Amino acid sequence: MPTPNIDQYLEDAHTALTNLQNAPELRTPMADFGYDPTRVASLVALHEAAATAHLAHKTEYAEQFGATAAYESARETTHTAYMRHLKLARVVYKNNVTRLHQLGLQGERLQSYSGWKAQAEQFYTAALAETAIQTDLATLGITLTALQDAKALLDAADAAWHTQKREAGEAQEATQARDAALDALQVAYSDLITVARVAFEDDPQKLERMGITVSSEGGG
């Protein structure tokens, strides 16, 4: 059920239940069909649970989208710095096989997050561990501060990735909770509509007051 339809469904159910609770001309006849105040209150509680779960679902997905945008921005910023340093380091160590392997300079950059992170982490961990490497890289303008800043960017990107994954999981859980709450409401509310159509089959205006569409079909 698309979100706009859920919003409308919840609003329709709210209208029906509110009017049923507050209007004696609706409440009294429906009580004769088993919908006494206690039963109606239980329906209201189901509606409130579904509405709350639906709002939580929207909130969690908004947080997921925000976390995804933050991660993508952090990774792009980190990658820009990393590629600049990578290209310069390849110039510095083009004839030094040991350093090429130590810093992970050879080969293509991996596209997966885990692969990309591993390659970038290898580079900055190795560079920050040896003064000799820092001295070599500084000859092409890669200062110690630049290396430290880039490593901090990498750590921030990694934190953003984990946040995005956590928010995605919470969004999925919110979807399951919302669907369960809507299913519970739908079963009970569908019964209410069916009973109301019988209770007010000769008084369609009362059905309309509950927000229930008056059917033109005949009985049978």
Side-chain angles (χ1 to χ4, degrees):
M1 182 184 292
T3 298
N5 289 348
I6 293 176
D7 290 334
Q8 187 61 57
Y9 178 78
L10 289 171
E11 181 60 31
D12 291 345
H14 179 262
T15 297
L17 293 170
T18 299
N19 289 345
L20 180 56
Q21 281 187 311
N22 297 333
E25 62 271 27
L26 299 175
R27 186 173 64 243
T28 301
M30 287 297 289
D32 293 336
F33 286 83
Y35 283 88
D36 59 17
T38 299
R39 187 172 183 183
V40 174
S42 70
L43 266 169
V44 171
L46 287 176
H47 177 273
E48 290 176 348
T52 298
H54 185 43
L55 179 59
H57 172 268
K58 288 182 176 181
T59 299
E60 290 296 342
Y61 268 89
E63 291 176 355
Q64 180 195 346
F65 295 147
T68 298
Y71 157 67
E72 291 174 349
S73 176
R75 177 166 174 172
E76 181 179 358
T77 300
T78 304
H79 189 67
T80 297
Y82 172 46
M83 291 306 295
R84 179 176 183 275
H85 293 163
L86 179 75
K87 291 173 184 177
L88 293 173
R90 282 173 171 170
V91 173
V92 173
Y93 291 123
K94 62 182 178 181
N95 296 318
N96 190 324
V97 176
T98 298
R99 293 300 195 204
L100 286 172
H101 283 275
Q102 184 180 5
L103 292 164
L105 302 179
Q106 70 278 43
E108 297 293 327
R109 297 303 92 180
L110 299 177
Q111 296 302 308
S112 68
Y113 173 74
S114 59
W116 171 82
K117 177 195 169 186
Q119 288 178 324
E121 202 160 53
Q122 178 183 352
F123 177 84
Y124 288 110
T125 298
L128 288 169
E130 288 193 35
T131 302
I133 295 177
Q134 296 159 22
T135 300
D136 291 340
L137 294 179
T139 62
L140 288 186
I142 306 176
T143 64
L144 174 60
T145 298
L147 292 171
Q148 292 170 333
D149 288 347
K151 180 59 167 63
L153 288 175
L154 178 60
D155 292 341
D158 188 50
W161 182 82
H162 285 289
T163 297
Q164 190 273 338
K165 289 300 179 183
R166 184 184 71 248
E167 292 295 347
E170 291 176 356
Q172 291 176 353
E173 291 174 359
T175 299
Q176 294 172 352
R178 181 204 63 180
D179 290 349
L182 283 171
D183 287 345
L185 173 64
Q186 189 169 22
V187 170
Y189 182 55
S190 177
D191 289 344
L192 172 67
I193 292 175
T194 299
V195 172
R197 288 188 183 280
V198 174
F200 302 123
E201 61 182 343
D202 296 324
D203 196 346
Q205 288 185 344
K206 286 188 171 62
L207 286 175
E208 291 175 355
R209 287 192 61 186
M210 291 179 65
I212 299 174
T213 303
V214 178
S215 174
S216 61
E217 296 179 358

